[in-house]
Amino acid sequence: MYGRAFTGLLTGTVVLMSAASSQAQVGHRLANPRAAVAAAVATATPMARTLDKLPAEALGPVTITLGELATTAQVMVGHPGPAAIPIASPVPTGQQPAAPAVGVITPENYGYGAYQSIYHYTDYLVSADSQVQAPQRFSGWFVFTAANGGSYRCSAALISRSILVTAGHCVHAGGTGSAGWIRSGTYYPAYRSGPSATYGAATVAWVITTSGWYSQGALDQGYDVGLVVLNNRTGTTTEIGDFTGWFGACFRYCLQNFWYNSQLGYPGNYYDGELMTRGEHLEHSDGRDFILGSGMQGGSSGGPHVTNLGDLSDASVNQGQFPYRNIIFAVTSWGYVSDIYKIQGASSLSGPNEINNFPTMFNYACATARSIHGQASCSPV
């Protein structure tokens, strides 16, 4: 439950202490929370944070040990949203792009150069029909005006009716205290070559990040996680997640030694970031973040890393296998400046040794969402 109770929408920048942990979260209400940034969409720069030196764990030998999990991840489940759009129906106007130009993918989407590595991956374009279905439609573009006045874009995903999860650096510059917050932002679920005619958009009311990101802003430390509370879908009195559905999320013991995830995002090096890309890979922990093979670059920041992405289900009981679908374990955090190694890092939601205290972080966001939208907006964990 909440570290301390509060009512109403928190204003300004507020340090939120948890009763269960010394790790604080830092929340911030935007000065003009209903300000839209639609005019900046066309000129938004793909947000990228890169390391100039790869972690030693990314280049050293990796030993995979099979066995039971030391700690079982704890999760909250998502919601599929309304009935699926029939695949046979026409793609809504504005969502069907022209055929991508030849050579627009740079670098090509094959994996790490050494065959004997765990950094193999497959990146591929999500089709227009698939993108407007659950669960892909839970993810989208997040466009914002940063503290420096520049317009940037990240990837993000819904984990309740009005709460997004993204990278910390998509809501705060990192290590700059109260001066680092974004000024405004807008979320476009299932963005495809323009704002979605099907699902619309919602502006940002409130954001929160970890105290580690707020005060240090250091990459590959596991702190790079942020949450966003949204206003209603623009032009309606309805929360945007009621149109789309939302992912589930891991909230405790998310940084496993090895974990297989699907990554969603809008990297600027694939189709100019206009189309959703999916990556498949094994991720391993360096004790701080997940490290993974990926061809995605700037613009993929904040995109979800989802366990068991998809809608296939059966009645079998498989002992030792993770039993939940569509659960976000991490968000894309950093890349590497060189294309020699196609490697990215993703910050787990809970952080190393649970330092992010994600349950309290989510509960503060949920309390704020409830103060805006009512008690049905979300459920605390």
Side-chain angles (χ1 to χ4, degrees), residues 187-259:
Y187 175 62
Y188 301 94
Y191 183 99
R192 191 173 186 87
S193 294
S196 168
T198 303
Y199 301 119
T203 57
V204 176
W206 189 81
V207 292
I208 188 171
T209 191
T210 66
S211 64
W213 184 256
Y214 178 83
S215 60
Q216 299 178 37
L219 294 173
D220 191 34
Q221 297 302 309
Y223 304 140
D224 193 11
V225 177
L227 296 178
V228 177
V229 178
L230 298 169
N231 294 303
N232 285 326
R233 176 182 169 180
T234 302
T236 77
T237 58
T238 307
E239 295 176 84
I240 198 162
D242 285 331
F243 294 92
T244 61
W246 56 91
F247 285 111
C250 173
F251 60 84
R252 192 173 284 120
Y253 311 126
C254 310
L255 189 61
Q256 298 289 336
N257 191 20
F258 292 94
W259 208 250

Side-chain angles (χ1 to χ4, degrees), residues 4-371:
R4 62 178 175 84
F6 66 92
T7 58
L9 185 59
L10 293 177
T11 60
T13 296
V14 182
V15 177
L16 305 167
M17 293 301 299
S18 165
S21 171
S22 60
Q23 174 79 356
Q25 293 80 28
V26 188
H28 178 75
R29 183 185 182 188
L30 272 63
N32 187 9
R34 297 190 182 278
V37 294
V41 169
T43 58
T45 301
M47 174 58 75
R49 292 293 177 95
T50 56
L51 299 176
D52 56 9
K53 182 179 181 180
L54 275 175
E57 295 85 353
L59 297 176
V62 175
T63 301
I64 298 178
T65 302
L66 301 179
E68 295 297 322
L69 297 177
T71 52
T72 302
Q74 297 179 17
V75 306
M76 52 187 180
V77 297
H79 191 280
I85 296 173
I87 294 295
S89 68
V91 176
T93 301
Q95 292 197 36
Q96 180 59 63
V102 176
V104 74
I105 295 182
T106 305
E108 294 180 347
N109 59 339
Y110 50 80
Y112 176 77
Y115 291 114
Q116 298 301 321
S117 81
I118 69 166
Y119 298 115
H120 296 284
Y121 65 88
T122 296
D123 289 346
Y124 60 93
L125 178 67
V126 177
S127 72
D129 283 335
S130 294
Q131 186 173 312
V132 296
Q133 310 295 333
Q136 287 80 204
R137 68 186 180 193
F138 308 159
S139 188
W141 261 38
F142 181 58
V143 183
F144 60 94
T145 302
N148 65 7
S151 179
Y152 300 91
R153 61 175 176 79
C154 285
S155 303
L158 285 163
I159 55 173
S160 81
R161 286 180 172 84
S162 293
I163 300 176
L164 293 177
V165 65
T166 188
H169 70 257
C170 300
V171 300
H172 189 276
T176 55
S178 61
W181 295 110
I182 64 173
R183 299 180 184 178
S184 63
T186 302
Y187 175 62
Y188 301 94
Y191 183 99
R192 191 173 186 87
S193 294
S196 168
T198 303
Y199 301 119
T203 57
V204 176
W206 189 81
V207 292
I208 188 171
T209 191
T210 66
S211 64
W213 184 256
Y214 178 83
S215 60
Q216 299 178 37
L219 294 173
D220 191 34
Q221 297 302 309
Y223 304 140
D224 193 11
V225 177
L227 296 178
V228 177
V229 178
L230 298 169
N231 294 303
N232 285 326
R233 176 182 169 180
T234 302
T236 77
T237 58
T238 307
E239 295 176 84
I240 198 162
D242 285 331
F243 294 92
T244 61
W246 56 91
F247 285 111
C250 173
F251 60 84
R252 192 173 284 120
Y253 311 126
C254 310
L255 189 61
Q256 298 289 336
N257 191 20
F258 292 94
W259 208 250
Y260 186 89
N261 279 326
S262 303
Q263 176 186 11
L264 296 176
Y266 290 85
N269 59 310
Y270 292 170
Y271 310 112
D272 295 326
E274 293 282 326
L275 311 178
M276 184 184 291
T277 301
R278 176 171 172 171
E280 299 288 340
H281 45 245
L282 180 68
E283 306 184 3
H284 81 98
S285 168
D286 62 1
R288 303 173 299 278
D289 277 338
F290 283 119
I291 304 176
L292 52 123
S294 176
M296 298 192 198
Q297 296 180 2
S300 64
S301 288
H305 292 239
V306 187
T307 296
N308 295 339
L309 179 67
D311 56 6
L312 177 68
S313 64
D314 60 40
S316 64
V317 177
N318 298 301
Q319 296 298 323
Q321 298 182 8
F322 194 69
Y324 303 102
R325 280 203 172 271
N326 302 318
I327 304 294
I328 298 175
F329 268 68
V331 291
T332 302
S333 173
W334 53 264
Y336 177 52
V337 295
S338 172
D339 288 340
I340 296 174
Y341 305 110
K342 295 182 175 64
I343 290 176
Q344 285 188 318
S347 289
S348 69
L349 302 190
S350 59
N353 300 314
E354 312 309 296
I355 195 169
N356 292 342
N357 196 12
F358 191 77
T360 300
M361 187 175 175
F362 177 82
N363 287 344
Y364 280 125
C366 181
T368 303
R370 285 178 160 195
S371 72

